[in-house]
Amino acid sequence: MTPTLAAVAWAFGLVAWVVVRVPHQRRARKTQVARSAKTLQDRLALAAAAAGLSVVPITFVATGFPAFADYTFQPWLGWLGLFIELAFLWLFYASHRQLGKHWSVTLEIRNEHRLVTDGLYRYVRHPMYLSFWLWAVAQFCLLPNGVAGPAGLVGVAILYFSRVRHEEAMMRETFGTSYDEYARHTGRIIPKPW
Ligand code: SAH
């Protein structure tokens, strides 16, 4: 693995992300929202994730900025990054497919919203957010730059920690004891072995 190949692999991940997401975004626009819990804080957190996972690394890959933060590329880390990126894409694709019309980019409950508890959701409550963590780790492994590499981790941390409690509160208000029961048997992003 070379730095150029690693940058290409990173860019491939971004393009594949767009290809998976766009049809869901189109469908979501047509599905009616029953209630919304979206806030300015959530929008800012989304913007932070978008900056860390796209704006900052795109700038680095396209222009080399900020070159002062470059460090030596490790081929083994590049291969590891590619492997983690493939895991991210599979998880992202599968969680989108399993959540189906219940997916929203922000915190929303749709008309005829059903609590999904099968597939990946049988093990963890947030497989899509887990995929974002993997994406951020892959970016860190693939881009040998002290700003662009960890930018995704910072963005995903902001989104995850500012959102996950609010999302679960919204789900609890909507689905009541069914959600409590579901949460008892699942982890947030790491499956509960017990
Ligand atoms: N946190 C989930 C989903 C992210 S999309 C994951 O990481 O996979 C965010 C939207 O998904 C929320 O607005 C909520 O309405 C919906 N959602 C989250 N968990 C859900 C579930 N188990 N069943 C149905 N909808 C869910």
Side-chain angles (χ1 to χ4, degrees):
M1 177 80 74
T2 63
T4 308
L5 215 61
V8 170
W10 176 82
F12 166 78
L14 184 67
V15 172
W17 181 89
V18 173
V19 169
V20 172
R21 167 122 314 169
V22 164
H24 292 281
Q25 213 144 13
R26 282 216 184 103
R27 189 199 43 220
R29 262 185 236 126
K30 293 187 209 134
T31 321
Q32 279 202 333
V33 175
R35 81 185 246 229
S36 171
K38 69 178 169 200
T39 56
L40 178 64
Q41 181 189 323
D42 197 58
R43 280 167 197 262
L44 292 174
L46 265 174
L53 291 166
S54 61
V55 180
V56 174
I58 284 174
T59 306
F60 171 69
V61 168
T63 70
F65 177 83
F68 71 84
D70 282 351
Y71 53 78
T72 312
F73 177 73
Q74 303 287 339
W76 69 268
L77 204 57
W79 287 114
L80 181 67
L82 180 60
F83 179 76
I84 295 171
E85 184 174 271
L86 295 176
F88 143 61
L89 286 173
W90 177 78
L91 209 57
F92 183 62
Y93 169 79
S95 51
H96 249 311
R97 232 185 46 167
Q98 291 166 7
L99 204 54
K101 62 181 183 173
H102 308 298
W103 172 80
S104 295
V105 74
T106 54
L107 297 184
E108 288 170 341
I109 297 294
R110 309 243 154 209
N111 276 352
E112 298 169 29
H113 205 118
R114 174 176 71 80
L115 178 64
V116 177
T117 58
D118 48 7
L120 293 164
Y121 289 85
R122 179 135 78 112
Y123 305 101
V124 286
R125 302 196 286 286
H126 304 288
M128 199 175 287
Y129 299 158
L130 173 60
S131 83
F132 291 165
W133 278 113
L134 292 181
W135 186 10
V137 174
Q139 177 175 317
F140 178 79
C141 296
L142 290 166
L143 304 182
N145 181 275
V147 174
L153 285 167
V154 174
V156 171
I158 292 173
L159 179 64
Y160 181 81
F161 290 112
S162 93
R163 178 184 273 196
V164 85
R165 265 178 309 116
H166 296 294
E167 179 170 328
E168 295 196 344
M170 178 187 78
M171 299 300 283
R172 210 159 258 127
E173 271 173 37
T174 310
F175 297 103
T177 49
S178 316
Y179 193 77
D180 288 331
E181 179 62 19
Y182 169 58
R184 245 197 302 280
H185 300 295
T186 49
R188 277 189 168 145
I189 54 171
I190 297 168
K192 270 188 189 169
W194 53 92

